[in-house]
Amino acid sequence: MFTKGSIFATACLALAVAAVPQKRQALAQVISKCTVPNTVALTFDDGPWVYLYDVSKALVAANATGTFFFNGNNYECIYNDDEIKRVQYAYSKGHQVASHTWAHKDLTTLTWDQIHDEMWRVELALTRILGVVPAFMRPPYGNYNNLVRQASLIRGQKLVIWDFDSGDSVGASVAQSEADYAALIAQHPSTILPLNHETIETTVHQVLPNVIAKLRAAGYRLVTLAECLNLPAYQSVGAPGTKDASWTC
């Protein structure tokens, strides 16, 4: 026989179970545009890499900042001494650092646990190296599905893609990238959120200086992603760690 108490408890349990799928269906916001007028957020994927210093110098010389979406183990292990110095350098120059996941895998091909692992490992690295927990994640290849968005929300992050692709990662020539940028700037949209790659030498040493000059001449402010959205760059900011034997890929 069911008592009033047991019926009530069963009803509460049913409501709780029913609520779980609804909670899991909550999705992280996907950002593809800046929201603060007259801003451009130049973003650079796939590092940290050897050309990071030159990206930063070009930006700083123009009184500008950028956003670096770092991998943990793509071109090199982020825990290598040279990579640690690059990450620290970008952050010290006022640029924003964000997650591009650990090993640049297509997240849409992974399981729930694998997605979290790709996110968590690079978040841990940035927390160890800088003391920050990033508030933004760019999925490799710009690929995401609802599972990825659910995981991102749980991790407190927004997904970021772009509204302009320089084409550098798919073989666009310097002339083509510059022409595409010039055509976009001529249209003078209110904001621009471009995709570039710090790992491509011609992007850094030829396209970037040209584009910075054109954007400044058009009257844009070159800012971080967080600034162009008027949102915090990090979920938390604390003290960095000290490298030890656990800092490995």
Side-chain angles (χ1 to χ4, degrees):
M1 178 180 294
F2 293 102
T3 65
K4 288 184 179 180
S6 65
I7 292 172
F8 178 77
T10 302
C12 288
L13 178 60
L15 287 171
V17 171
V20 171
Q22 294 174 6
K23 185 175 180 181
R24 280 287 297 273
Q25 289 303 314
L27 305 175
Q29 180 183 357
V30 177
I31 293 169
S32 61
K33 292 182 179 297
C34 296
T35 58
V36 176
N38 205 47
T39 59
V40 175
L42 291 168
T43 65
F44 303 91
D45 287 11
D46 292 1
W49 192 232
V50 294
Y51 306 122
L52 180 149
Y53 297 110
D54 292 338
V55 173
S56 176
K57 289 173 183 176
L59 291 169
V60 170
N63 195 30
T65 48
T67 301
F68 292 89
F69 285 93
F70 288 141
N71 291 125
N73 193 18
N74 188 3
Y75 279 68
E76 277 191 17
C77 174
I78 198 170
Y79 290 125
N80 290 351
D81 288 344
D82 286 342
E83 300 298 273
I84 290 174
K85 290 176 183 176
R86 289 168 188 144
V87 172
Q88 292 171 334
Y89 183 88
Y91 185 69
S92 72
K93 294 300 180 180
H95 307 300
Q96 180 180 346
V97 303
S99 167
H100 197 34
T101 73
W102 183 251
H104 207 279
K105 297 177 181 179
D106 183 343
L107 298 179
T108 64
T109 67
L110 305 182
T111 66
W112 176 255
D113 289 343
Q114 289 170 335
I115 291 168
H116 277 284
D117 188 64
E118 281 291 300
M119 295 177 177
W120 170 76
R121 292 180 74 185
V122 73
E123 292 162 20
L124 176 63
L126 293 176
T127 302
R128 284 170 162 174
I129 295 168
L130 299 175
V132 303
V133 179
F136 298 93
M137 186 278 289
R138 173 170 283 165
Y141 314 105
N143 291 349
Y144 62 89
N145 54 22
N146 283 351
L147 203 62
V148 173
R149 292 181 66 187
Q150 290 165 20
S152 295
L153 183 72
I154 288 172
R155 307 197 69 79
Q157 295 179 333
K158 293 176 172 59
L159 268 70
V160 182
I161 47 176
W162 52 86
D163 59 16
F164 173 79
D165 185 349
S166 68
D168 57 357
S169 68
V170 292
S173 66
V174 169
Q176 186 62 60
S177 289
E178 291 181 350
D180 290 347
Y181 261 114
L184 177 65
I185 294 167
Q187 297 171 18
H188 210 282
S190 176
T191 64
I192 311 175
L193 177 52
L195 169 67
N196 308 278
H197 293 77
E198 64 160 286
T199 54
I200 298 177
E201 186 272 334
T202 51
T203 292
V204 176
H205 295 141
Q206 297 183 56
V207 176
L208 183 59
N210 176 281
V211 168
I212 289 174
K214 283 185 168 61
L215 289 168
R216 292 187 71 197
Y220 287 107
R221 290 194 304 120
L222 277 59
V223 299
T224 64
L225 173 71
E227 290 174 294
C228 92
L229 297 169
N230 196 28
L231 292 172
Y234 307 106
Q235 298 182 58
S236 64
V237 178
T242 300
K243 186 176 181 180
D244 59 28
S246 69
W247 291 32
T248 63
C249 289

